[in-house]
């Protein structure tokens, strides 16, 4: 039997999912795309650019995404727990568990192209390849976005 709290949690999850799905961020991703460009020539500064949603759309999407993280009432983990503890049709619980597994697999994969933090050039000629440092995953980038410059001044 679904408790009132569980029902409210599922409703909140669905509302936030719909907000994100219809967001300006998602519209801009569909129309503008997402990409990184880089320019590097010997003797010139390294430049990075790209296409992405605007800062306001990103900030709004991050505020909504924060509802799906561990500590929030409608986190993906808590929704998974609700489904697995209810007498729901097995296919619903299995489908949600599979979607969660795919999401975690995607987030834990390394970025492409690689993004390495704290690395130092191994040679003085080109600065590449890099040694040391930490290669970031998509999950690391998501955590940086959730707790980064959009929400903290320091």
């Amino acid at each position: 039997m679904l408790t009132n709290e569980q029902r409210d949690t599922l409703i909140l999850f669905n509302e936030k999912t719909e907000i994100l799905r219809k967001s300006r961020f998602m519209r801009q991703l569909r129309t503008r795309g997402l990409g990184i460009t880089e320019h590097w020539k010997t003797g010139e500064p390294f430049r990075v650019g790209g296409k992405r949603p605007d800062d306001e759309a990103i900030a709004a999407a991050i505020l909504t995404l924060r509802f799906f993280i561990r500590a929030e009432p409608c986190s993906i983990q808590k929704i998974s727990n609700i489904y697995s503890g209810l007498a729901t049709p097995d296919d619903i619980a299995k489908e949600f568990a599979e979607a969660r597994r795919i999401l975690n697999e995607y987030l834990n994969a390394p970025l492409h192209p690689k993004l390495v933090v704290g690395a130092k050039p191994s040679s003085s000629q080109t600065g590449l390849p890099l040694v040391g440092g930490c290669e970031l995953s998509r999950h690391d980038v998501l955590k940086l976005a959730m707790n980064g410059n959009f929400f903290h001044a320091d």
Side-chain angles (χ1 to χ4, degrees):
M1 184 71 155
L2 192 66
T3 68
N4 286 340
E5 183 180 346
Q6 289 172 325
R7 181 183 51 80
D8 292 345
T9 298
L10 290 171
I11 289 170
L12 181 62
F13 179 82
N14 288 333
E15 287 172 351
K16 295 303 177 184
T17 301
E18 192 65 13
I19 288 169
L20 188 59
R21 191 180 70 77
K22 292 180 175 179
S23 70
R24 193 168 90 214
F25 175 83
M26 294 303 290
R27 283 193 310 272
Q28 288 181 5
L29 274 181
R30 285 189 288 273
T31 58
R32 295 180 184 179
L34 184 64
I36 296 173
T37 57
E38 56 189 59
H39 175 78
W40 183 76
K41 286 186 180 178
T42 303
E44 294 181 15
F46 181 74
R47 294 187 310 245
V48 176
K51 51 187 177 178
R52 63 181 178 81
D54 64 61
D55 287 350
E56 187 177 320
I58 292 170
I62 289 170
L63 281 173
T64 303
L65 281 171
R66 290 171 75 113
F67 280 91
F68 302 118
I69 61 174
R70 206 167 293 211
E72 293 296 325
C74 65
S75 71
I76 291 173
Q77 179 180 356
K78 290 178 183 173
I79 298 298
S80 182
N81 292 342
I82 289 173
Y83 279 137
S84 65
L86 290 176
T88 58
D90 280 346
D91 56 334
I92 293 173
K94 285 179 183 176
E95 190 176 321
F96 193 86
E98 178 65 5
R100 182 178 178 210
R101 184 195 66 73
I102 290 168
L103 175 63
N104 284 328
E105 188 176 278
Y106 175 81
L107 289 174
N108 290 325
L111 289 170
H112 182 75
K114 286 183 182 181
L115 181 58
V116 182
V117 177
K120 297 179 181 169
S122 63
S123 73
S124 59
Q125 303 143 337
T126 64
L128 296 174
L130 301 175
V131 295
C134 175
E135 184 177 339
L136 297 181
S137 69
R138 294 175 181 113
H139 189 249
D140 295 324
V141 172
L142 180 61
K143 285 191 289 188
L144 286 169
M146 295 286 201
N147 300 296
N149 69 323
F150 284 107
F151 303 104
H152 302 283
D154 56 349

